Every structure is written in structure tokens, then in C-alpha cells.
Amino acid sequence: MHILPETGFLRERQIIGDPKADPPTPPIIPVGHSTWWAGVKSGRYPKPVKLGPRITAWRVEDIRALIAKLRSAQAEG
């Protein structure tokens, strides 16, 4: 189980995991890169925040809300 901070930002690798990292980063949302970005584009996943020209991140609060939404949908069937 992941322990997310109350506030702050997460990078893509922290959300979808990075098996090539040392040590490997387990996924919070177990989807691939293309699936993640397709979900962002369609509105299924939260919109990112640009922290710099080459730095894209997501608010922890938005990821927590996504997790709650996915759990709720899973519990409903």
C-alpha cells in the first residue's frame, strides 16, 4: 500500500510505477503510459500541472480523489 502525502505533487512515474527504477517504483494506478495519457486527455484521469518547461506533475489531492472514485466504481460492481 502506498502512503501519499497530504499535499504536494506526484510525477507520472510515481503514479503509474517504474519497473526499471532501482529500486522499482510500484504503481498507484496500474496502467501503462499510453493508457494514462489517453485517460488524461479524455478526462477520466486528472489534468496535470506544469511545474516547469519539462516538469509535469499531478496534485496529490487529485490522485487521492481518483483513487476514491476508482474504489467506489469497483465496489459498485
Side-chain angles (χ1 to χ4, degrees):
M1 176 169 227
H2 294 275
I3 298 175
L4 297 176
E6 289 297 317
T7 61
F9 298 95
L10 295 171
R11 301 287 303 271
E12 178 187 0
R13 287 187 212 143
Q14 293 171 292
I15 299 168
I16 66 170
D18 186 358
K20 296 179 183 177
D22 186 25
T25 306
I28 297 170
I29 309 293
V31 298
H33 173 81
S34 298
T35 302
W36 176 254
W37 281 103
V40 168
K41 185 176 180 180
S42 72
R44 180 175 184 199
Y45 300 140
K47 291 187 178 197
V49 176
K50 290 294 281 182
L51 299 179
R54 297 184 64 192
I55 302 173
T56 302
W58 284 262
R59 290 181 180 89
V60 171
E61 297 91 335
D62 294 342
I63 299 302
R64 286 181 180 277
L66 173 62
I67 292 168
K69 179 179 162 186
L70 294 173
R71 283 185 180 156
S72 171
Q74 189 177 37
E76 291 175 4

